[in-house]
Amino acid sequence: MHALEKILAKASGKSQVQAGDIVTAKVDFAEINDLYLQTLYSFYEMGGKRVWDSSRAAFVFDHYAPAPTIQSAAIHKEMRQFARENELTYHFDVQSGVCHQVMPERGVVYPGMILVATDSHTTTHGAFGAFGTGVGATDMATILITGELWFRVPEIIEIRLEGEPPTGVYPKDVILYVLGQLKADGAVYKAIDFTGSYVRQLGVAGRMTICNMAVEMGAKTAYMQPNKAVLDYVSQRAVRPFTVEYTDPDFVYQEQYIFDLTSLTPQVSAPHSVDNVHPLSAIEPVKVDQCLIGTCTGGRVEDFAVAAQILRGKKIAPGVRMVVIPASQQVQRTCLERGYLQELMDAGAVMAAPGCGPCLGVHEGILAPGEVCISSSNRNFPGRMGSAQASIYLASPATVAASALKGYLADPRPLLID
Amino acid sequence: MQTVFTGRVTVLGNNIDTDQIYPGRYLELVDPVEIGHHCLEGVDGDLAKNFRQGDFLVAGSNFGCGSSREHAPIAILNMGALLVLADSFARIFYRNGINLGLPLVICKGLWKQVKDGDWITVDLEQGTVRLEATGTVMTCEKIQGPALTILQAGGIKPLFRQRMSQSSQ
């Protein structure tokens, strides 16, 4: 069996499962974000009285943090009330940050667990050797009542990433490249196991960036075998004992893809589809209006470190807005301690509260018709960040910082040579 | 559960994501009728206004990709669509739609064979789609397994309530 199958088997009380089986699995942790008040409506409509286990469910207020409208403030208010009534152990209010960053930081994510959240980017937690998957409000309500959810055991494909990319090429470039090859429907209903020498040596932040975007290929979940960096991270934080699962040597993947990264160059996903990926060098140097570094894909300490390296002692181009949003308060604190955010502000950036920011088009940097944004986030669908007549390019934080400096889509590599 | 449906189609393309189905700026709305007014606004601002009750949506591959927002199928249902037929559906959207009692039918290639306003008849039990203009009959996948159980109960909420009352007896 694959490690993911072992996780599902254990959680559903079976000795063995295989692709196509329908199982009812116990959920180790359930997270509801602040877009999903419907979860509470569905909970009561289905006869829910109390959350099945107060230590295994939490709200994270990240999409509307802090509340930009009366309606979203009212959503927060109802959710806080529900959290209090159910005496939830964990509660991540508007100061916390994006769920996919704050949950691992708080230690509720660890290898071998099943994590279900009302957010499609829950694939992120494959970075920790967990089974993480996103659901909608009503599926989440059934979990809050019973602690379980039915799953179809997914087919598992292997994406093997070999070699070390050159300087100036980052995990975001790697996953954009893979997406461009497999396309937006390349892994629908499937699980992706990222393997290979690149993954074995990759740090926690890079692993999270790659697993995060697995859902942009339609994947149900992602997986990376935990390495030393992950085990060091979780052993300092995990709130429960955990078991790392391993894939049996005789496991056969449904499909295998092998990518050599040794000559990869910076990649860009052009409007208006995530899989419209090109080498940066093949794209016209389009003028940019806004540059965003942040979100669950590209708002970690490593991302601000490289942006600060590029913009240190310089000014962003006239007429360009640069928005920086740490993925969590902890990321924000670390970046402040190291001076990264001050350097970015000195260069002309504006900092917003930790959270999802403008990524889903509700606040903190909405785009006007005709505007162009380059972003370290994960989606460039029409209208994603505001006007459907705006254009979004997705790239690594280094490429975003280089573009802010130049005022047009720019290659970070020449700026990284001291 | 109704298994035969006749209606007109509105045809959409590939990779219709949930931001196009239901733009992020309306996510704070909670009234289902109001949510329905903004359905597919990211594709066409007038689509919901002009949609005829009881008609169907037909699309290419990966319909509903992107965000896990349940507002997407809530919007489709409240706009008045009875069915969505597509080459394939994104996973979370599929679960959300079925949970709310919206039949989602995989019918490969249909979107290339029809245009806005064409009449079709869908038979979920037989797994067929009949194009009324030409009489052509296409094969679609029959809904099976847990999805069928949920739809037959009228959605996950009634199914869940049934199960809760059975287990408490």
Side-chain angles (χ1 to χ4, degrees):
Chain A
M1 282 193 290
H2 189 278
L4 285 170
E5 294 175 330
K6 291 180 184 178
I7 295 171
L8 282 172
K10 196 181 273 186
S12 54
K14 295 180 186 302
S15 58
Q16 193 117 20
V17 300
Q18 60 180 0
D21 289 357
I22 304 290
V23 299
T24 300
K26 289 199 185 320
V27 173
D28 292 294
F29 202 81
E31 184 265 330
I32 311 108
N33 69 43
D34 51 352
L35 299 180
Y36 288 83
L37 188 60
Q38 178 63 43
T39 305
L40 307 192
Y41 294 171
S42 295
F43 178 85
Y44 291 122
E45 280 175 58
M46 291 191 291
K49 300 264 190 301
R50 203 168 167 82
V51 170
W52 96 102
D53 183 336
S54 60
S55 69
R56 291 184 184 274
F59 292 94
V60 181
F61 295 172
D62 50 7
H63 290 70
Y64 293 125
T69 60
I70 295 169
Q71 182 66 50
S72 56
I75 290 170
H76 285 170
K77 191 177 170 188
E78 268 193 71
M79 288 180 166
R80 282 189 198 103
Q81 171 81 11
F82 185 90
R84 271 198 303 274
E85 283 169 5
N86 283 277
E87 299 172 282
L88 299 186
T89 309
Y90 305 103
H91 178 70
F92 303 96
D93 217 294
V94 297
Q95 78 287 0
S96 307
V98 188
C99 61
H100 303 304
Q101 185 64 21
V102 302
M103 288 192 288
E105 285 174 354
R106 188 60 186 81
V108 297
V109 179
Y110 42 81
M113 75 178 298
I114 294 186
L115 172 72
V116 184
T118 54
D119 194 281
S120 56
H121 291 107
T122 310
T123 56
T124 304
H125 306 280
F128 300 96
F131 181 100
T133 196
V135 295
T138 302
D139 266 339
M140 177 53 70
T142 67
I143 298 172
L144 293 185
I145 297 170
T146 65
E148 298 176 339
L149 188 66
W150 73 268
F151 293 102
R152 181 182 171 281
V153 179
E155 285 78 17
I156 302 171
I157 64 175
E158 180 185 26
I159 295 179
R160 196 190 300 168
L161 304 171
E162 295 289 356
E164 183 61 22
T167 303
V169 180
Y170 296 90
K172 179 66 174 288
D173 297 300
V174 172
I175 191 61
L176 287 180
Y177 178 68
V178 170
L179 247 163
Q181 300 296 310
L182 268 74
K183 297 296 172 188
D185 59 354
V188 174
Y189 301 122
K190 296 173 186 175
I192 299 176
D193 187 4
F194 293 100
T195 66
S197 60
Y198 178 69
V199 174
R200 282 197 294 276
Q201 58 74 45
L202 194 58
V204 170
R207 289 175 154 241
M208 290 173 79
T209 299
I210 289 177
C211 289
N212 175 276
M213 291 195 75
V215 74
E216 308 308 335
M217 293 177 266
K220 175 185 203 131
T221 193
Y223 189 79
M224 289 180 174
Q225 192 61 42
N227 62 2
K228 183 171 183 306
V230 166
L231 295 175
D232 287 348
Y233 186 97
V234 294
S235 61
Q236 290 165 30
R237 294 172 175 81
V239 297
R240 292 177 195 275
F242 59 86
T243 308
V244 179
E245 300 292 350
Y246 294 89
T247 299
D248 295 329
D250 61 350
F251 179 77
V252 180
Y253 291 94
Q254 191 200 32
E255 294 162 37
Q256 278 181 305
Y257 301 89
I258 302 173
F259 297 102
D260 175 14
L261 308 177
T262 48
S263 54
L264 192 67
T265 59
Q267 304 287 305
V268 172
S269 169
H272 295 280
S273 170
V274 182
D275 59 6
N276 185 17
V277 177
H278 306 272
L280 177 63
S281 58
I283 296 227
E284 290 287 308
V286 181
K287 189 182 165 307
V288 295
D289 299 291
Q290 179 165 299
C291 303
L292 170 66
I293 298 183
T295 79
C296 57
T297 313
R300 288 178 247 284
V301 173
E302 290 80 350
D303 302 321
F304 295 105
V306 70
Q309 185 187 345
I310 289 168
L311 289 167
R312 187 168 293 140
K314 297 175 183 158
K315 294 283 179 200
I316 61 172
V320 172
R321 314 183 292 272
M322 183 176 193
V323 181
V324 295
I325 305 180
S328 71
Q329 192 182 62
Q330 208 170 100
V331 169
Q332 186 178 28
R333 281 181 190 282
T334 306
C335 291
L336 284 168
E337 281 160 19
R338 297 186 186 175
Y340 301 151
L341 294 173
Q342 294 89 326
E343 286 168 334
L344 293 172
M345 285 189 275
D346 288 345
V350 60
M351 183 171 64
C356 303
C359 175
L360 73 158
V362 299
H363 65 166
E364 294 180 340
I366 300 300
L367 301 174
E371 287 194 324
V372 174
C373 179
I374 183 164
S375 172
S376 70
S377 60
N378 46 46
R379 288 187 176 141
N380 60 354
F381 303 146
R384 174 75 181 176
M385 269 191 218
S387 170
Q389 283 76 50
S391 298
I392 303 166
Y393 291 82
L394 305 176
S396 77
T399 301
V400 175
S403 303
L405 184 67
K406 300 290 186 186
Y408 50 87
L409 295 189
D411 191 330
R413 290 173 299 177
L415 301 165
L416 290 162
I417 301 160
D418 288 326
Chain B
M1 170 189 168
Q2 186 182 351
T3 57
V4 179
F5 298 83
T6 298
R8 286 161 296 195
V9 301
T10 294
V11 185
L12 306 162
N14 285 319
N15 295 320
I16 298 295
D17 59 79
T18 54
D19 279 272
Q20 292 184 71
I21 298 171
Y22 194 74
R25 61 186 173 277
Y26 303 121
L27 285 170
E28 62 184 13
L29 300 180
V30 290
D31 172 32
V33 174
E34 204 181 343
I35 289 172
H37 291 160
H38 299 290
C39 188
L40 286 158
E41 202 169 297
V43 174
D44 172 355
D46 293 326
L47 200 149
K49 200 170 64 190
N50 297 329
F51 196 83
R52 292 158 300 215
Q53 297 293 307
D55 280 3
F56 315 143
L57 295 173
V58 174
S61 68
N62 207 20
F63 185 84
C65 61
S67 158
S68 55
R69 61 191 66 162
E70 199 160 294
H71 301 70
I74 293 172
I76 291 170
L77 279 165
N78 284 282
M79 179 175 72
L82 289 186
L83 296 176
V84 185
L85 302 104
D87 277 11
S88 64
F89 293 93
R91 176 194 152 262
I92 304 176
F93 177 85
Y94 187 81
R95 285 189 78 118
N96 286 343
I98 297 291
N99 276 345
L100 297 178
L102 173 66
L104 302 173
V105 184
I106 295 173
C107 185
K108 290 195 183 348
L110 175 63
W111 72 296
K112 297 272 196 193
Q113 303 294 322
V114 289
K115 58 183 191 311
D116 282 349
D118 283 0
W119 287 88
I120 63 171
T121 296
V122 183
D123 187 324
L124 297 180
E125 266 180 357
Q126 298 299 317
T128 57
V129 177
R130 181 185 153 90
L131 282 51
E132 296 300 341
T134 59
T136 307
V137 176
M138 297 178 67
T139 305
C140 63
E141 287 186 18
K142 292 181 191 174
I143 300 172
Q144 294 170 328
L148 183 63
T149 309
I150 294 167
L151 284 180
Q152 283 173 334
I156 193 84
K157 290 175 195 170
L159 178 66
F160 199 85
R161 282 195 298 266
Q162 275 171 29
R163 286 183 178 166
M164 296 270 278
S165 66
Q166 279 161 9
S167 63
S168 66
Q169 278 164 13

